[in-house]
Amino acid sequence: MKPAAFDYVRAGSVEETVSVLAEAAGDAKILAGGQSLVPMMALRLARPTVLVDINRIPDLDAVRRTDGAVEVGALVRHRDLTDQTEHPLLAEAARWIGHTAIRTRGTVAGSIAHADPAAELPVVALATGATATVIGPRGTRIVAADDLFVGPLMTTLADEDLVTAVRFPLPSRWGFAEFARRHGDFALVTAVTAELDDAVRIVLGGIGPVPRRATAAEAVLAAGGTAGDAADAAAQEIDPTGDLHGSAAFRRAIAAEMVRRALAGAGIGQGRA
Ligand SMILES: Cc1cc2nc3c(=O)[nH]c(=O)nc-3n(C[C@H](O)[C@H](O)[C@H](O)COP(=O)(O)OP(=O)(O)OC[C@H]3O[C@@H](n4cnc5c(N)ncnc54)[C@H](O)[C@@H]3O)c2cc1C
């Protein structure tokens, strides 16, 4: 299929983007890497009447080390993440996204805004307590990843909002584990653990409509439990949905194993309780 007809605007600035989005009153879409939006348009699952291309906006493509965090501009590509060394967890997660062509075009902010339940970066965002800088018609605001993801491909962002950067705190210890049917496929289950200010977060992706914290598993660790105990708790607290890629029971078993591996990678919960 081909996309429905649309107008194309090449935005030169953040202000122009927000103004075109506001004028279109919900009918416009931002075009970043196009790796999710364009296939959806081709299938006519998305039919924006205006595409606002942000790729030529200056100064949105930097990866900056800030105080205890790494700030990633809206036009930073997945491949840029794999190449940087400031945030090793981000580098590792980005390696699991699709294939070279997708990583070369797809953007970090695009992945966060798109909110695919099986995507890697929303899981990392929630695990590290990331925040997005969002500019809309009423100005700039900071939105925490905890308040961002509300459903499959659904966020709390408004139609007129542009994410200009995402700030990912640097964990003192971290682990990443993913299970996919083939290399480059979307994850069946992703587990990310991150230690920040001595508190450990465990987040699972691919097991429901949004990435979710395994808070019971986190509590097990906080009480001195082992990684194995935490993995068992994580498997019990989630309510995975089954589909043709894997049953709910299969996902639950894989989730436990991914949590175990992520915690082993972080060196967390490896001693005796
Ligand atoms: C074959 C294939 C395999 C893939 N495999 C994976 C995978 O394994 N893991 C994974 O995570 N992803 C995967 N992807 C998706 C890829 O990561 C996308 O790059 C990403 O989801 C969206 O980023 P984008 O820059 O391409 O956004 P676009 O496709 O341009 O936009 C996606 C959505 O986000 C909005 N948007 C984009 N940028 C902004 C912004 N700055 N502010 C506000 N809204 C914005 C757009 O309006 C649109 O609604 C795959 C894609 C393909 C085609």
Side-chain angles (χ1 to χ4, degrees):
M1 272 171 86
K2 288 182 181 166
F6 59 87
D7 290 331
Y8 171 84
V9 176
R10 179 180 287 162
S13 67
V14 167
E15 295 72 25
E16 184 187 357
T17 304
V18 172
S19 141
V20 176
L21 291 172
E23 235 169 76
D27 286 336
K29 281 264 178 213
I30 291 167
L31 175 69
Q35 298 304 297
S36 297
L37 180 58
V38 172
M40 287 181 71
M41 289 173 63
L43 294 167
R44 301 211 175 189
L45 295 171
R47 299 173 73 128
T49 55
V50 185
L51 272 196
V52 191
D53 184 345
I54 61 170
N55 284 278
R56 301 287 176 91
I57 301 179
D59 302 328
L60 291 184
D61 58 356
V63 177
R64 286 193 190 90
R65 174 79 182 260
T66 61
D67 193 19
V70 167
E71 188 174 273
V72 178
L75 291 176
V76 171
R77 314 286 162 174
H78 305 319
R79 199 184 67 178
D80 300 325
L81 283 191
T82 64
D83 292 348
Q84 57 79 41
T85 53
E86 294 284 1
H87 202 301
L89 167 55
L90 273 180
E92 175 62 17
R95 278 183 206 111
W96 288 81
I97 300 175
H99 304 280
T100 305
I102 288 136
R103 291 193 293 272
T104 302
R105 291 297 306 164
T107 64
V108 177
S111 177
I112 300 291
H114 187 61
D116 191 299
E120 287 80 2
L121 297 180
V123 182
V124 175
L126 193 57
T128 55
T131 49
T133 304
V134 180
I135 301 189
R138 283 173 297 284
T140 303
R141 66 189 195 281
I142 304 295
V143 181
D146 302 71
D147 303 324
L148 201 49
F149 307 110
V150 290
L153 312 189
M154 283 186 281
T155 67
T156 51
L157 296 172
D159 293 331
E160 310 79 33
D161 285 338
L162 169 69
V163 176
T164 55
V166 185
R167 183 180 182 277
F168 294 89
L170 272 163
S172 43
R173 292 191 285 176
W174 60 271
F176 180 97
E178 173 164 322
F179 183 88
R181 291 182 65 184
R182 295 170 306 190
H183 177 72
D185 278 4
F186 273 99
L188 277 187
V189 179
T190 300
V192 175
T193 184
E195 182 182 62
L196 293 143
D197 300 330
D198 293 337
V200 174
R201 278 190 178 202
I202 300 170
V203 177
L204 285 159
I207 46 111
V210 289
R212 85 161 259 182
R213 277 180 72 178
T215 48
E218 292 172 6
V220 165
L221 283 178
T226 64
D229 298 334
D232 292 343
Q236 289 313 309
E237 70 181 291
I238 60 174
D239 187 18
T241 37
D243 57 23
L244 80 164
H245 300 298
S247 66
F250 177 70
R251 273 198 165 84
R252 196 187 294 279
I254 295 292
E257 181 56 26
M258 292 305 106
V259 168
R260 215 183 314 275
R261 290 185 191 184
L263 288 168
I268 294 171
Q270 303 305 300
R272 290 183 64 82

